[in-house]
Amino acid sequence: MAPAPRPTLAVVVANGITGDSRVQKTALAAAHAGWEVTLVGRAGGKKPEHSWLGPVRVVRLPVGNRMERLVNARRSRGGPRARLTQWGIRDRAALDQIRDAHRVWVREQTTRIGYLGASPLTAPLRIWVRARRAAHRLRVRAYRWEQRRKAPRTSGDWRRDHPTLLDLDLAFGPFIEELAPDVIHANDITTIHTAARAAARLRARGSRCAWLYDAHEYIAGIAWDRPALRSALPAVEREYIHRADAVVTVSADLARLLHRDHRLPEVPAVVRNTPVRAAVGGFAGRVCVRAACGLAPDVPLMVYAGWIAPDRGLATVVEALTELPGHHLALVAGRRSAGLTALRVRAEELGVRHRVHVLPYVPPHQVPDYLSGADLGLIPFHRLPNTENSLPTKAGEYLHARLPIVTSDTRATAAFVLDRGVGEVFTAEDPASFAAAVRRADAHREALRARISDALLTELSWEHETGTLLTLYTRISGRTPGAPLPRPSWDTEERRAAVPHRPTALSAPGTDAGAGVPAEAPPGAPDAPERDWRPLGPTRVRLGLAPANYAGQLAAFAAAVTRRHTDVSAEVVKHRTAPEKHDYPADVYIDGAALRNLDVQLELVHRTVRRYTHLLADAFRPVFGPLNGVSVEGDLAALAHAGIKVALLAHGSEVRDPARHRARIPHSLFRDAPDGYENSLTAQSVRNRRIAAEAGLPVFVTTPDLLLDLPMAVWAPLVVDTAAWACDRPVMERPRPLVVHAPSARWSKGTDRVLPLLDSLHERRIIDFRLLEGVPRARVAELVRSADLVIDQFAIGTYGTFACEGMAAGRPVIAHMDEETVAVCGVRPPIVDATPDTLGTVLERLLDDRAAAARIGTECAAFARAHHDGTATAAALAPFLAP
């Protein structure tokens, strides 16, 4: 006999679901208890999104704005009076246009009056100008009067004041009705109307559907910043709350307020948003907030987790840091916001910015373990009706992390903390009071922590709260859930629907990062770039190389080092921050869009601190994405705390001093740089040179001219596969020699300064010139091996990767070589020196003495084998990798 179908539940929320711990835990708890659950939220794009959250089906639906536009258009048109007063003026921009047109007309007419002088025509013209001026002023005043009347007024009808709710209903309602669930769980005020309408329509067609309203906040107590919201949201709650089969909320105080304000037949049930106790401890030992901040165990660390806004009271905390000189503050923020920016600015003004750390969110089931590295949890809220009446979610999270709480004197939270003896209370918005409370908490921290008992944590657990919710589902629907799931999981990591393997933002070529097992490429798929270094494994040195991999140099370094050091394994990580011309080899590729995701940033932290013993950080770019700022400097503390030995690697303009370069190189690339580029590079290079000087870390440079900018650095020469580039094709035997030039950017190599000469020689059939722009890399390699002459650059004063490849192929290379660079590195390459002014003479000499040119090609090949096959580079890095 087939088992009876499980009852169905739709959990509905108007946000994107990710990070909303209450709705995620609600859905998972019901699924564990035997309900068939669909979690419905809002899509970020224009298409529906489908995934699975464990046993829960997740559907995100796109929400349009047609009703909002329609209502706003009607409002802007107004009635007959508005059409008269706003005659021909659509908006402020149209008003400004009309005013300028009027001024142009007045200037034209008054000029004519001046020309006419004492003519009898001037009098009527003056009258006409005055009349037009008066009419214009009247028109502008009428427009402004109507705008003042419209702006602050609300209708009291939520459909007109906040039509976005109608768009939400159009997006969610039909889907819920097609789903026909036994119960609809409407989360927060923005879904109350959709749940009520969907349930009523399902009942009208004979389906039994119950629904409950989950009031996350006291709507009447929120200081909404828009009058329309102050009108609309309480109105929609008043209209529909009585139609719910049950009401639940997050605290007993809020339940009493809802019962009183709406005269409900019964007091709403209370389901606090508390942590899942079964998940606590499952992520202990992974990166916590202290490790992410890079702080030693004895440094006092306070943590605040949650949304950042002025009424959250964090400005009070930042002000108080001046009275707590040894304390650091970790802000666990879901995303950047105006409130966070203001806090950072204020911290900078107070001189405490270095003690304020901004960290990303983690999935809800990992939060207590993540926070456990701190010493105190903060709830510094201002005293507002909404904060006075409920214990915030973060209180339970702090306690499950075994953190004593320092809270402002908001009524519900302060009473809880004092009654249970698990923290200290201060006067809201008073920095001195906050600092005193922190000092008291520090002095009695162990006693406060001892009162965080197992009984208290059981009471503040989602397992304890969820019983009320599940009982309500059965009561209002009359449906009994099926058999509970045998192995419930609280993991909130989603997997995409209808996709066998879920790739993550961190993906390796030829592997499925979600499954962690090799994945075969589909037939006909292009091969991933070849990796010829020893992959990360159980060696003495586990070397990470990240994140730029310019011209594939990190990959080449990894191959060179692991080939010559048997106790080293390596992993190359490439951050793709812009469309790539060539996909150089790497173990892990991360797209630029993914780097902005805080979850990806945290995953980078996890990978790095758990896997590497050494890290070569190139281009001074941040290893963890923008988690700790725009340079590697912000990541150094966390890397040091994890015991990772770090070296810095520079390639070029990220450390090159533009002013000094201009003075040294006649045709410096900075003379041809795009507008604003030199100023940007100057600021960047000053910062990076400071980091190199102050960090106390080994510093390496790939091109010798950078030794002039970083005198503490060691030259680790560029690496090319000399064997792969080598060829035995003769040089300079063609009547018309093949000359190639491949600029990555014309201005950076002085291309436009020499292109007229090269084009002229080509048109006169003296040389066969090829400008290799937008050419596939394999074709570039083929042409270099076939060339008679390789032209590199005239704007830098040294030679780069393209020159090394040309030398390895045994081709004579032409470039401008700065004498200071040659002197500082102590090696003179057999490159033919030329400037844009002397290139014609140099080419003429090489064409006249082809045997000498061929000998230069032979010398170039020998130089590449001696300095650029990786041997010299591995030797340069050896002290850094030594025990």
Side-chain angles (χ1 to χ4, degrees):
M1 181 177 178
R6 294 192 299 165
T8 55
L9 167 70
V11 180
V12 186
V13 66
N15 60 35
I17 299 173
T18 303
D20 193 326
S21 63
R22 185 173 178 88
V23 299
Q24 291 174 322
K25 291 182 297 188
T26 295
L28 286 170
H32 295 164
W35 289 78
E36 182 179 323
V37 183
T38 301
L39 178 53
V40 183
R42 183 170 186 159
K46 296 181 179 180
K47 294 181 179 180
E49 302 167 8
H50 300 271
S51 59
W52 287 92
L53 177 64
V56 176
R57 177 191 177 199
V58 179
V59 180
R60 293 178 174 87
L61 300 169
V63 178
N65 63 348
R66 291 174 182 169
M67 292 306 300
E68 182 181 15
R69 290 168 59 190
L70 176 64
V71 171
N72 288 342
R74 288 174 177 170
R75 184 183 296 131
S76 64
R77 284 199 304 268
R81 183 200 67 246
R83 286 192 287 273
L84 177 63
T85 58
Q86 310 296 283
W87 171 55
I89 308 177
R90 298 182 306 276
D91 50 29
R92 178 57 187 267
L95 174 65
D96 291 341
Q97 187 178 39
I98 288 170
R99 293 173 70 181
D100 284 346
H102 174 71
R103 291 172 61 204
V104 167
W105 182 87
V106 169
R107 289 176 62 81
E108 182 76 20
Q109 301 309 315
T110 52
T111 300
R112 289 181 60 193
I113 291 172
Y115 288 153
L116 291 172
S119 169
L121 295 176
T122 59
L125 188 54
R126 289 177 186 276
I127 294 172
W128 176 233
V129 170
R130 284 197 293 271
R132 285 281 298 269
R133 277 178 164 167
H136 175 73
R137 285 195 294 269
L138 179 62
R139 186 181 187 188
V140 171
R141 287 172 182 168
Y143 174 84
R144 289 175 172 171
W145 175 77
E146 189 70 38
Q147 292 298 312
R148 286 195 297 270
R149 291 190 76 258
K150 289 195 310 181
R153 299 171 72 90
T154 56
S155 68
D157 181 351
W158 63 265
R159 296 161 183 82
R160 294 177 58 191
D161 291 340
H162 194 41
T164 299
L165 295 175
L166 299 176
D167 287 314
L168 278 164
D169 181 57
L170 286 177
F172 287 12
F175 175 82
I176 297 170
E177 291 160 28
E178 182 179 354
L179 192 65
D182 296 301
V183 177
I184 303 171
H185 184 141
N187 285 276
D188 222 339
I189 186 61
T190 46
T191 61
I192 186 173
H193 62 302
T194 293
R197 291 177 171 194
R201 286 166 58 84
L202 285 169
R203 290 168 184 170
R205 68 187 197 203
S207 297
R208 167 123 178 106
C209 178
W211 72 282
L212 64 83
Y213 169 48
D214 190 340
H216 294 187
E217 298 177 299
Y218 183 45
I219 298 301
I222 298 177
W224 302 102
D225 56 354
R226 290 166 47 199
L229 293 179
R230 289 199 295 271
S231 169
L233 297 184
V236 74
E237 187 176 65
R238 283 194 304 271
E239 180 171 339
Y240 288 110
I241 194 170
H242 288 277
R243 305 185 185 191
D245 296 291
V247 178
V248 299
T249 191
V250 296
S251 74
D253 286 343
L254 184 48
R256 285 191 289 270
L257 287 171
L258 291 172
H259 181 249
R260 181 201 67 190
D261 291 355
H262 297 290
R263 299 181 181 179
L264 300 175
E266 60 181 21
V267 178
V270 175
V271 179
R272 293 177 294 188
N273 189 18
T274 52
V276 177
R277 193 169 188 203
V280 177
F283 297 86
R286 300 193 183 183
V287 173
C288 64
V289 291
R290 183 175 295 276
C293 293
L295 300 177
D298 59 342
V299 176
L301 177 61
M302 306 175 291
V303 66
Y304 170 88
W307 177 244
I308 293 178
D311 62 1
R312 301 293 165 151
L314 289 164
T316 302
V317 178
V318 171
E319 297 278 348
L321 286 177
T322 58
E323 299 184 37
L324 299 166
H327 286 70
H328 286 242
L329 170 64
L331 301 174
V332 180
R335 60 184 175 88
R336 305 297 187 258
S337 64
L340 177 57
T341 300
L343 283 177
R344 283 175 151 170
V345 170
R346 185 57 181 147
E348 192 74 44
E349 293 171 349
L350 294 170
V352 298
R353 176 66 184 85
H354 64 290
R355 292 193 279 133
V356 178
H357 310 267
V358 180
L359 306 178
Y361 275 174
V362 295
H365 60 288
Q366 299 179 18
V367 169
D369 292 332
Y370 186 52
L371 300 179
S372 64
D375 297 308
L376 299 172
L378 306 183
I379 308 176
F381 293 174
H382 293 177
R383 297 193 63 178
L384 299 170
N386 211 46
T387 60
E388 295 273 24
N389 295 309
S390 63
L391 188 69
T393 303
K394 57 181 59 58
E397 292 169 342
Y398 294 153
L399 294 176
H400 279 269
R402 303 283 178 171
L403 301 183
I405 296 172
V406 175
T407 179
S408 61
D409 53 354
T410 52
R411 183 166 51 84
T413 306
F416 175 87
V417 167
L418 293 176
D419 181 58
R420 304 304 176 96
V422 292
E424 295 289 343
V425 176
F426 69 95
T427 303
E429 303 183 61
D430 185 338
S433 177
F434 172 81
V438 169
R439 287 191 285 266
R440 292 195 304 271
D442 283 341
H444 304 97
R445 189 186 310 152
E446 293 308 317
L448 296 173
R449 185 174 286 151
R451 297 189 188 109
I452 306 174
S453 64
D454 287 343
L456 175 60
L457 296 180
T458 298
E459 176 190 342
L460 287 175
S461 68
W462 186 250
E463 292 91 333
H464 178 266
E465 298 296 320
T466 196
T468 300
L469 201 54
L470 297 173
T471 300
L472 268 180
Y473 291 158
T474 297
R475 193 193 87 192
I476 64 177
S477 68
R479 298 296 305 276
T480 302
L485 297 184
R487 291 184 298 277
S489 170
W490 295 98
D491 191 336
T492 52
E493 186 77 18
E494 293 181 38
R495 67 184 192 279
R496 292 181 183 176
V499 177
H501 298 293
R502 179 188 57 80
T504 67
L506 303 181
S507 59
T511 66
D512 174 50
V517 298
E520 294 183 5
D527 293 335
E530 183 181 354
R531 289 165 286 169
D532 56 358
W533 54 90
R534 184 179 299 111
L536 207 66
T539 53
R540 180 185 63 83
V541 173
R542 299 186 300 279
L543 175 64
L545 302 97
N549 199 23
Y550 293 139
Q553 279 303 297
L554 288 188
F557 273 41
V561 168
T562 58
R563 203 159 41 236
R564 290 161 180 83
H565 297 283
T566 58
D567 58 349
V568 177
S569 58
E571 180 174 81
V572 179
V573 178
K574 165 69 175 171
H575 294 186
R576 287 173 169 142
T577 55
E580 300 292 335
K581 295 179 181 178
H582 307 297
D583 212 359
Y584 293 104
D587 292 292
V588 177
Y589 297 98
I590 310 173
D591 289 332
L595 276 172
R596 295 192 291 271
N597 188 318
L598 290 171
D599 292 340
V600 173
Q601 296 164 18
L602 189 69
E603 190 174 349
L604 277 169
V605 176
H606 286 178
R607 288 182 63 90
T608 302
V609 302
R610 295 169 60 198
R611 294 159 60 85
Y612 305 153
T613 60
H614 293 64
L615 176 70
L616 188 60
D618 71 324
F620 288 77
R621 283 172 47 184
V623 178
F624 304 144
L627 173 65
N628 297 315
V630 297
S631 78
V632 71
E633 184 177 28
D635 298 333
L636 294 179
L639 293 167
H641 179 74
I644 297 174
K645 193 174 179 180
V646 179
L648 304 175
L649 179 65
H651 298 282
S653 292
E654 76 270 27
V655 295
R656 192 174 283 127
D657 183 344
R660 180 172 181 174
H661 196 269
R662 274 174 168 269
R664 196 175 79 247
I665 307 299
H667 300 287
S668 168
L669 73 162
F670 296 109
R671 300 181 190 276
D672 298 324
D675 289 345
Y677 205 78
E678 182 174 350
N679 290 338
S680 174
L681 286 179
T682 297
Q684 181 189 102
S685 65
V686 167
R687 179 198 68 204
N688 291 341
R689 291 197 303 275
R690 176 188 58 77
I691 294 170
E694 296 176 357
L697 300 173
V699 181
F700 300 95
V701 294
T702 55
T703 57
D705 68 308
L706 298 182
L707 296 172
L708 298 170
D709 297 288
L710 297 174
M712 81 292 291
V714 174
W715 181 31
L718 293 163
V719 177
V720 297
D721 188 342
T722 54
W725 280 96
C727 72
D728 55 4
R729 294 175 184 171
V731 175
M732 300 298 283
E733 292 188 355
R734 295 183 180 95
R736 186 183 178 191
L738 175 62
V739 179
V740 298
H741 174 57
S744 52
R746 290 192 180 191
W747 65 271
S748 68
K749 291 208 171 189
T751 301
D752 289 337
R753 292 180 180 270
V754 298
L755 203 53
L757 169 66
L758 295 170
D759 285 339
S760 173
L761 293 173
H762 176 81
E763 290 169 4
R764 291 157 54 195
R765 302 188 66 79
I766 296 173
I767 64 172
D768 179 7
F769 173 61
R770 309 286 181 87
L771 180 64
L772 308 182
E773 288 183 309
V775 177
R777 181 161 173 75
R779 178 60 175 158
V780 171
E782 179 183 335
L783 288 169
V784 168
R785 293 191 192 97
S786 302
D788 294 292
L789 294 171
V790 171
I791 294 181
D792 186 24
Q793 60 74 35
F794 306 94
I796 302 174
T798 189
Y799 61 101
T801 306
F802 184 60
C804 292
E805 293 166 345
M807 287 192 290
R811 310 297 104 177
V813 175
I814 301 173
H816 174 52
M817 291 301 301
D818 171 49
E819 286 301 320
E820 282 192 63
T821 296
V822 172
V824 77
C825 74
V827 175
R828 181 179 292 276
I831 290 175
V832 181
D833 182 38
T835 68
D837 300 328
T838 65
L839 179 59
T841 303
V842 168
L843 285 172
E844 183 179 347
R845 186 175 70 244
L846 292 173
L847 292 174
D848 287 344
D849 192 348
R850 298 191 174 211
R855 286 195 299 272
I856 292 172
T858 302
E859 293 170 3
C860 281
F863 183 88
R865 289 192 298 270
H867 295 278
H868 296 288
D869 71 345
T871 303
T873 304
L877 294 173
F880 165 59
L881 301 173

